[in-house]
């Protein structure tokens, strides 16, 4: 009696062990296949993106770069996003607030030389986005150059220097000023820069104070400026810098509704993965401060 009971139990046990081994084998194989399939899908998608980009515009700029080497960081650091406005002589400007946003070209050149001499890589906003959102590696010494408002001197003074150094940069354009207000870039200047490594993104239509507007009104200026630039450059506009860094409780939703995927304030600090991607910090390059402060802001994420 006892013996008869034991035999079937050990047979069932043996069968169960065999079944688990087979199941484990099948699951492993399936996972391998899925990951291969996914990586193939990614390659296909990448190719598709490249073809589309090349067809839509001739800018070599938007083609994704593949960073390699030892000084890559993955997700534990922040990146300084430098904020410039006007690059011009400021010696006759007496108002200190105005003077602070007008950086003399020779100072700008000195700063760019510092970036070059110290091995910095200037990232595009797409690269910053992929670093923050998708964990894509970037060089350890990465920095992002941004210019607000789209002053004409960005073309006459900053652009030649950026070109000389081969640096990537982004201009946030007040689209209502384009071709209409003398101080701002023309559409031809915007197009030329975009074709030569300078990305163009939105800074609203009329530099509205978003913190004073309803959801609908914010959305209006966010959508219209986006559409204007997309039509002008035949490319997607995904990013925005809020005018004067102002926003309210509706702003994030308005930006999302308008189709933006990342946005910048003028809140002081480095762009950090832990911050809401619709409210990224930037480092103000203050024309009233000296070179030591510039270096401090580049090297220390907890700068004063
Ligand atoms: Zn502005």
């Amino acid at each position: 009696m006892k013996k008869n009971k034991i035999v079937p139990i050990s047979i069932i046990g043996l069968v169960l062990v065999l079944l688990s081994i087979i199941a484990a084998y099948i699951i492993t194989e399936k996972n391998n296949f899925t990951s291969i399939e996914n990586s193939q899908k990614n390659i296909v998608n990448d190719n598709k993106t490249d073809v589309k980009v090349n067809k839509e515009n001739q800018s070599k700029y938007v083609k994704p770069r593949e960073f390699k080497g030892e000084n890559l960081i993955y997700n534990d650091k922040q990146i300084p996003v430098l904020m410039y406005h006007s690059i011009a002589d400021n010696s006759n400007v007496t108002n200190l607030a105005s003077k602070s946003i007008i950086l003399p070209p020779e100072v700008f050149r000195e700063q760019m030389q510092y970036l070059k001499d110290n091995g910095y890589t200037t990232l595009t906003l797409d690269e910053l986005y992929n670093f923050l959102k998708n964990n894509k590696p970037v060089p350890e010494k990465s920095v992002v150059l941004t210019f607000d408002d789209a002053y004409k001197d960005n073309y006459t003074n900053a652009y030649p220097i950026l070109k000389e150094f081969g640096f990537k940069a982004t201009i946030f354009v007040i689209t209502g000023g384009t071709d209409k207000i003398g101080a701002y870039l023309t559409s031809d200047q915007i197009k030329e820069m975009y074709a030569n490594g300078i990305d163009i993104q939105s800074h609203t239509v009329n530099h509205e104070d978003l913190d004073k507007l309803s959801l609908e009104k914010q959305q209006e200026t966010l959508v219209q400026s986006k559409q204007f630039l997309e039509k002008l450059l035949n490319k997607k506009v995904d990013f925005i810098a809020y005018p004067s860094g102002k926003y309210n409780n509706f702003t994030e939703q308005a930006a999302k509704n308008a189709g933006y995927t990342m946005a910048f304030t003028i809140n002081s600090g480095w762009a950090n993965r832990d911050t809401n991607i619709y409210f990224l910090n930037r480092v103000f390059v203050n024309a009233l401060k000296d070179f030591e402060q510039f270096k401090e802001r580049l090297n220390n994420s907890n700068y004063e």
Side-chain angles (χ1 to χ4, degrees):
M1 253 333 242
K2 226 179 179 183
K3 208 181 174 186
N4 283 348
K5 243 185 193 171
I6 290 166
V7 172
I9 287 170
S10 30
I11 289 173
I12 291 168
L14 191 65
V15 169
L16 281 178
V17 168
L18 280 174
L19 280 177
S20 346
I21 292 171
I22 293 167
Y25 179 72
I26 290 172
I27 288 167
T28 315
E29 281 304 290
K30 190 161 183 274
N31 280 348
N32 284 344
F33 178 71
T34 314
S35 66
I36 292 167
E37 199 188 29
N38 280 345
S39 56
Q40 277 169 345
K41 259 187 215 158
N42 286 341
I43 292 166
V44 170
N45 284 344
D46 280 348
N47 287 342
K48 260 190 212 153
T49 315
D50 283 352
V51 170
K52 204 168 153 231
V53 163
N54 289 338
K55 222 163 95 179
E56 278 179 359
N57 61 66
Q58 298 307 308
S59 174
K60 59 185 182 300
Y61 172 67
V62 273
K63 194 173 161 72
R65 288 184 285 184
E66 200 60 59
F67 294 117
K68 292 184 178 114
E70 280 173 6
N71 70 337
L72 292 176
I73 49 175
Y74 289 87
N75 58 12
D76 58 335
K77 288 192 188 172
Q78 317 166 54
I79 293 177
V81 178
L82 304 187
M83 173 179 61
Y84 294 94
H85 292 78
S86 186
I87 305 297
D89 174 37
N90 68 6
S91 52
N92 291 325
V93 182
T94 47
N95 178 292
L96 285 185
S98 307
K99 198 165 183 149
S100 72
I101 62 163
I102 306 173
L103 193 73
E106 63 274 15
V107 179
F108 181 67
R109 167 185 288 280
E110 200 183 355
Q111 294 178 352
M112 296 303 103
Q113 188 70 52
Y114 176 85
L115 295 182
K116 192 192 171 199
D117 293 346
N118 289 278
Y120 278 89
T121 300
T122 51
L123 298 185
T124 67
L125 287 190
D126 283 320
E127 288 162 351
L128 176 71
Y129 177 83
N130 279 320
F131 168 77
L132 295 173
K133 193 84 182 172
N134 303 324
N135 245 358
K136 276 266 181 84
V138 294
E140 185 172 6
K141 282 186 162 182
S142 285
V143 63
V144 178
L145 307 178
T146 66
F147 296 80
D148 282 15
D149 304 336
Y151 295 108
K152 196 155 269 178
D153 59 52
N154 289 180
Y155 178 81
T156 52
N157 296 335
Y159 176 49
I161 296 171
L162 291 168
K163 237 186 344 188
E164 182 188 322
F165 285 92
F167 282 169
K168 308 289 188 191
T170 298
I171 299 176
F172 292 110
V173 174
I174 306 167
T175 58
T178 310
D179 296 323
K180 293 194 186 93
I181 301 169
Y184 297 111
L185 295 169
T186 65
S187 44
D188 282 344
Q189 290 168 335
I190 290 174
K191 278 196 232 172
E192 184 190 329
M193 285 194 283
Y194 177 64
N196 288 283
I198 310 297
D199 195 17
I200 305 294
Q201 302 287 341
S202 170
H203 199 42
T204 72
V205 178
N206 290 308
H207 211 265
E208 291 91 344
D209 286 339
L210 297 181
D211 61 327
K212 297 194 176 72
L213 299 183
S214 66
L215 175 68
E216 291 72 23
K217 285 288 170 196
Q218 290 189 50
Q219 216 169 291
E220 203 176 292
T221 183
L222 265 48
V223 167
Q224 283 175 9
S225 54
K226 188 175 193 287
Q227 286 174 344
F228 176 92
L229 294 171
E230 288 183 340
K231 193 165 172 240
L232 180 70
L233 300 168
N234 197 17
K235 68 130 185 171
K236 276 203 78 192
V237 169
D238 296 314
F239 314 125
I240 182 158
Y242 305 133
S244 312
K246 291 177 179 170
Y247 51 85
N248 63 19
N249 289 337
F250 303 124
T251 307
E252 180 177 357
Q253 195 57 52
K256 282 178 181 167
N257 291 353
Y260 294 98
T261 55
M262 178 169 74
F264 298 86
T265 67
I266 60 167
N267 295 338
S268 193
W270 291 15
N272 187 319
R273 190 188 298 277
D274 300 329
T275 335
N276 184 331
I277 201 162
Y278 285 91
F279 300 102
L280 293 175
N281 295 330
R282 284 190 293 167
V283 176
F284 175 36
V285 182
N286 188 331
L288 302 176
K289 304 287 182 175
D290 63 10
F291 199 68
E292 285 310 308
Q293 201 218 36
F294 174 76
K295 285 195 276 184
E296 155 87 359
R297 293 185 163 209
L298 260 183
N299 290 295
N300 177 10
S301 60
N302 295 314
Y303 66 83
E304 291 284 306

